[in-house]
């Protein structure tokens, strides 16, 4: 009985909740940073820089909000480049 309780306690400390919390905080900070930068480019009428910012934001947002999916996607791309899949 003690062994099972110790195992359940260890299972709760894997860090999945902390990882999700950190990703949520980083994602929200990233979104706020993008909004400020995009607004600045919009007000200065720097259209090219605003579009470049938004394109780069799509890639970074994917990495921040969907890290497991990006890991799988990059693994599949590398498999095609290396010829292993």
């Amino acid at each position: 009985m003690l062994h099972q309780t110790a195992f359940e306690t260890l299972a709760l400390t894997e860090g999945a909740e902390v990882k999700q919390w950190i990703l949520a905080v980083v994602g929200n900070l990233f979104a706020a940073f993008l909004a400020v930068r995009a607004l600045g480019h919009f007000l200065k009428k720097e259209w090219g820089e605003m579009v470049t910012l938004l394109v780069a934001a799509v890639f970074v947002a994917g990495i921040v909000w969907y890290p497991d999916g990006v890991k799988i996607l990059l693994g599949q791309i590398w498999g095609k480049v290396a010829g292993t899949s």
Side-chain angles (χ1 to χ4, degrees):
M1 186 73 158
L2 179 64
H3 176 69
Q4 183 179 4
T5 305
F7 181 73
E8 289 173 1
T9 303
L10 290 176
L12 293 175
T13 60
E14 289 179 357
E17 293 85 9
V18 175
K19 176 184 171 186
Q20 291 300 322
W21 182 81
I22 289 173
L23 288 176
V25 170
V26 170
N28 289 331
L29 289 174
F30 176 68
F33 172 76
L34 284 179
V36 169
R37 292 289 306 256
L39 180 64
H41 290 310
F42 178 76
L43 293 175
K44 292 180 184 178
K45 297 186 180 180
E46 297 172 341
W47 308 116
E49 290 184 24
M50 188 170 71
V51 170
T52 303
L53 174 73
L54 294 176
V55 169
V58 169
F59 292 109
V60 175
I63 293 170
V64 170
W65 283 308
Y66 304 107
D68 297 330
V70 172
K71 180 181 174 184
I72 292 168
L73 177 66
L74 291 177
Q76 290 172 344
I77 291 171
W78 180 252
K80 294 203 182 292
V81 169
T84 58
S85 66

